[in-house]
Amino acid sequence: MSIGNFEACLAVTAKWEGGWSFHDADRGGRTMYGITQATLGAFLGRPASIAEIRALTQGRAKEIYRKLFWDAIGAEAMPKGVDLACWDWGVNSGAARGKRAYADVRTKFAKAHEMVKAVCKARYTFFNTIIAKDASQGVFKKGWFRRVAAIEATGFKWALAAQGMSPVDIQRQMGAEAAQAGQQAAKK
């Protein structure tokens, strides 16, 4: 289980959730450290102003991430690696998605690294569906896919380590996965 893995997952996700963002095509609207104005409002229990979202500190963002995302999806009870895959999807697309992702894979796969791969595969499909429904979202595809690939690699590695695989064997498995992904990409 992922007891105590919040900080590690936050550090990975924080690389993708920078400071201030307000892109016309972004449905999340005004965002600071990955926290939308609406999410800040939910945390405060009232609508948040533009000034409040702009003034959001990293410390307050961390509190929000813990309460409205990590705790909300039950990430503490997920296997290592799976917690990252589900948590990051929840941060990127709403906590309910991260929670649902875990519910969808936890009984279908015996091993955590298989769950990580399945969650990330579903996430790629989810993003492609969004873009198919609204072409304006295509501007985010490259970034979304890079993020999912990085989350998948890290989550996969963490899952293998938690299953007791040695660092050498993890590297070997990661290399095999990369080769397989390259072959699949070449077929497309």
Side-chain angles (χ1 to χ4, degrees):
M1 296 299 123
S2 295
I3 296 175
N5 211 31
F6 171 71
E7 294 288 339
C9 289
L10 178 62
V12 172
T13 295
K15 293 176 186 173
W16 298 98
E17 298 290 355
W20 174 252
S21 175
F22 183 48
H23 190 287
D24 289 340
D26 188 349
R27 295 177 182 171
R30 292 172 177 87
T31 305
M32 179 63 90
Y33 305 121
I35 303 296
T36 65
Q37 188 173 352
T39 300
L40 176 59
F43 181 78
L44 296 173
R46 59 172 174 73
S49 70
I50 296 170
E52 286 174 310
I53 191 64
R54 295 243 14 180
L56 183 69
T57 65
Q58 286 180 314
R60 176 55 63 97
K62 182 177 175 180
E63 289 177 53
I64 295 168
Y65 277 135
R66 173 67 110 168
K67 182 179 179 183
L68 298 185
F69 295 93
W70 184 261
D71 293 346
I73 71 167
E76 199 77 12
M78 295 177 191
K80 281 194 175 161
V82 178
D83 58 350
L84 175 63
C86 294
W87 139 269
D88 190 77
W89 194 358
V91 167
N92 194 210
S93 302
R97 289 213 190 285
K99 187 173 187 171
R100 189 173 327 128
Y102 184 58
D104 289 346
V105 300
R106 70 184 204 155
T107 58
K108 293 178 187 171
F109 300 94
K111 297 187 177 190
H113 69 277
E114 295 169 337
M115 290 184 220
V116 170
K117 289 177 63 91
V119 167
C120 291
K121 182 178 180 182
R123 195 169 171 189
Y124 286 123
T125 301
F126 172 76
F127 288 138
N128 279 326
T129 301
I130 287 173
I131 294 164
K133 290 180 180 178
D134 182 354
S136 74
Q137 298 303 292
V139 70
F140 301 115
K141 183 175 182 174
K142 194 174 187 179
W144 285 342
F145 278 44
R146 279 186 189 150
R147 178 177 180 157
V148 176
I151 296 300
E152 182 174 359
T154 302
F156 189 83
K157 184 177 180 179
W158 289 0
L160 293 176
Q163 290 166 202
M165 191 175 277
S166 74
V168 170
D169 288 337
I170 290 171
Q171 283 307 112
R172 188 175 301 125
Q173 185 67 34
M174 298 284 289
E177 290 292 321
Q180 182 181 13
Q183 290 170 354
Q184 289 174 348
K187 291 178 184 178
K188 292 182 180 181

